[in-house]
Amino acid sequence: MENGYVTTPFGRRPMSLGMLASQQLAETIEPGVKRSKWKLFRAICEARPALGVTDRALTVLDALLTFYPDDEICEEKGLVVFPSNAQLSLRARGMTPATLRRHLAVLVEAGLIVRKDSANGKRYARRDREGAVNEAFGFSVAPLLARAAEIEGLAAQAVAERELLRATRERLTVCRRDVSKLIAAAIEEQVSGDWEGIATVFRGLTSRIPRVATVEKLAPLLDEMALLREEVVNMLEIQIKPQKMDANESQIERHKQNSKPESTYELEPAFGPKQGARSVAHRDGDALPADERQLKERLRSSKGAATKISGASEPGAGPGLKSFPLGLVLQACPQILDYGPHSTIGNWRDLMSAAVVVRSMLGVSPSAYEEACAGMGPENAATVIACILERGGHINSAGGYLRDLTRRTEKGEFAIGPMLMALVRANGGVRRHVS
């Protein structure tokens, strides 16, 4: 589009300030910028809620892009497509003309395309003697190229939020299962305590889980459910400890009675009581009733599952990859604070939003960041982006480096800890303000 060129819509369609802003934005394309039209379209689909377009409008945009002659959108090859309504309707899955016009207006209003109408409102192109297009009238896709970085950033943020929602939902599901089975075990084993009251609290929390889940709604429920699980485990451990002490005292007494050198009882505990006996000898010398031993084993397995999903294990860690406290990440990577809301980062969500901005700035593709989120977990992927930003002068290709770390993570060959510790030492342990 020529610099300073403004086109008004044909016929009764009014001009608006939004259209003028879109036309001015389309003139800000940096020289040499190009994008794959289908990768850019996929990013628009990912960022659809943030862009304010409907799925039917995206169907029309898909049809418009099929008329662009090349796979890559760039200024050198022209930015205007000029299909007739009949051809556009066919490629839009038979959409009626009235519906087609309505969704074209949605795309214009969202700032994804710009109308370039001719004097009579027809769409066509003027060509020279060699067949090259001199001037075309129709729909300009220049806003897509001008907003490419913004659209890719919105898409990456949508992917990160989706991964965070998935991880939060999974942790809540596992925590809910743990509480349910621990309460059932306590009631079945007749452990003293107000288990009916705890079950009522548990049912109340479960009833508050919304059908349409968002991170903002699920995170408080996950915190409350984790506290309830911790309380249940503590109550059960309180009941188990006295029983274990009694068993130890009984075992010590037997040790005193069987302290003769020729005795084989202590050396071969496996030859203890057989069928019909109520106690089981352990390697550490404990002896618990069989039903109490089973309860203890069930609690140990429940605690193991809880530790894997609780806050102490750091949320969002990928398979085999440990996450670290947010404070340590910010101490190691203080530069990421400049990209947080109001230049501060107060939680993991703020860090992931900042990482999306930095990802685009570093030239890391949305697909590479999405693979990192899937392989490492969204929090770990954001941490690695912060580390790459901190070491920007030593990394030639941030995208290739991130993909390499993702592959090494999947093979169990990468850990974030040494990278963070090296950055902490390099920054001299200086802390910046974190809200």
Side-chain angles (χ1 to χ4, degrees):
M1 181 175 293
E2 299 174 3
N3 289 336
Y5 183 80
V6 175
T7 177
T8 56
F10 171 78
R12 296 181 180 180
R13 291 191 300 269
M15 184 66 178
S16 68
L17 293 179
M19 293 181 185
L20 182 59
S22 296
Q23 293 181 26
Q24 291 177 342
L25 176 64
E27 297 175 4
T28 62
I29 301 174
E30 296 181 3
V33 174
K34 57 179 65 177
R35 287 292 191 278
S36 167
K37 64 182 181 181
W38 298 124
K39 288 183 179 180
L40 189 56
F41 178 74
R42 179 180 177 182
I44 294 171
C45 293
E46 292 280 6
R48 181 176 67 84
L51 293 172
V53 293
T54 63
D55 54 347
R56 298 295 300 279
L58 291 182
T59 301
V60 176
L61 180 60
D62 181 26
L64 278 175
L65 290 176
T66 62
F67 289 97
Y68 193 81
D70 296 281
D71 286 335
E72 282 191 337
I73 302 175
C74 62
E75 282 190 292
E76 290 76 10
K77 299 175 183 177
L79 297 172
V80 177
V81 293
F82 40 90
S84 66
N85 281 339
Q87 292 297 320
L88 186 57
S89 175
L90 285 176
R91 296 197 188 183
R93 281 72 171 169
M95 191 175 291
T96 62
T99 305
L100 195 64
R101 287 192 295 271
R102 187 169 67 251
H103 292 302
L104 283 170
V106 171
L107 293 174
V108 172
E109 190 68 25
L112 296 179
I113 61 174
V114 171
R115 294 183 186 273
K116 188 180 179 183
D117 289 343
S118 63
N120 59 5
K122 300 296 183 181
R123 302 176 200 136
Y124 60 90
R126 291 197 181 101
R127 301 178 185 272
D128 57 20
R129 293 183 179 181
E130 287 75 21
V133 175
N134 281 335
E135 188 175 17
F137 297 96
F139 298 101
S140 172
V141 295
L144 296 182
L145 204 55
R147 300 178 63 186
E150 175 197 352
I151 291 170
E152 290 166 353
L154 291 173
Q157 184 175 358
V159 170
E161 289 178 352
R162 186 170 65 243
E163 288 298 319
L164 179 60
L165 176 60
R166 178 192 60 78
T168 304
R169 186 188 287 116
E170 287 180 355
R171 289 197 293 270
L172 180 59
T173 298
V174 176
C175 190
R176 177 181 175 183
R177 181 188 66 198
D178 290 345
V179 174
S180 175
K181 293 195 173 184
L182 287 173
I183 292 175
I187 295 175
E188 180 183 353
E189 302 289 345
Q190 298 182 353
V191 178
S192 61
D194 185 16
W195 299 110
E196 291 297 332
I198 293 176
T200 302
V201 173
F202 172 69
R203 286 191 294 269
L205 287 176
T206 303
S207 65
R208 288 166 50 194
I209 299 176
R211 290 189 177 182
V212 180
T214 62
V215 175
E216 290 77 10
K217 293 180 180 179
L218 293 184
L221 288 175
L222 176 60
D223 292 339
E224 294 183 48
M225 193 71 74
L227 288 175
L228 181 61
R229 177 180 58 190
E230 184 178 355
E231 181 180 353
V232 170
V233 171
N234 288 338
M235 292 177 63
L236 292 174
E237 287 181 339
I238 289 173
Q239 296 294 326
I240 290 175
K241 286 179 180 179
Q243 298 171 358
K244 182 177 180 180
M245 290 178 63
D246 293 343
N248 284 340
E249 291 175 359
S250 175
Q251 186 68 25
I252 291 172
E253 187 66 25
R254 287 197 296 273
H255 275 233
K256 292 179 180 179
Q257 295 174 359
N258 295 277
S259 57
K260 295 181 180 180
E262 64 273 11
S263 174
T264 61
Y265 179 81
E266 293 177 299
L267 300 177
E268 298 179 328
F271 294 96
K274 295 186 179 180
Q275 294 182 355
R278 291 289 295 169
S279 64
V280 178
H282 291 262
R283 288 178 297 176
D284 59 359
D286 293 346
L288 293 175
D291 54 349
E292 295 175 7
R293 178 178 60 84
Q294 293 172 0
L295 176 60
K296 184 175 180 181
E297 292 175 352
R298 290 168 65 181
L299 281 174
R300 283 176 176 171
S301 63
S302 297
K303 285 183 66 180
T307 302
K308 292 179 182 178
I309 66 161
S310 66
S313 173
E314 297 299 334
L321 189 63
K322 177 184 177 183
S323 289
F324 288 82
L326 179 60
L328 177 61
V329 174
L330 298 179
Q331 184 181 359
C333 310
Q335 292 186 39
I336 194 72
L337 288 165
D338 295 332
Y339 301 91
H342 307 293
S343 297
T344 58
I345 292 177
N347 50 50
W348 284 104
R349 186 180 182 85
D350 290 346
L351 179 65
M352 287 187 290
S353 298
V356 168
V357 177
V358 172
R359 188 276 314 160
S360 178
M361 183 187 71
L362 294 175
V364 177
S365 66
S367 61
Y369 188 64
E370 185 175 352
E371 290 173 5
C373 288
M376 302 178 181
E379 287 87 353
N380 282 329
T383 300
V384 171
I385 288 291
C387 292
I388 293 175
L389 174 66
E390 202 70 27
R391 300 179 56 196
H394 306 281
I395 298 174
N396 294 327
S397 172
Y401 185 61
L402 181 62
R403 287 186 187 275
D404 180 62
L405 294 183
T406 302
R407 286 192 293 268
R408 289 169 57 190
T409 299
E410 293 171 352
K411 297 178 181 179
E413 299 174 353
F414 172 64
I416 298 178
M419 180 185 294
L420 286 176
M421 291 301 104
L423 290 173
V424 169
R425 289 191 296 269
N427 291 330
V430 178
R431 285 182 177 270
R432 289 178 57 181
H433 175 69
V434 180
S435 64

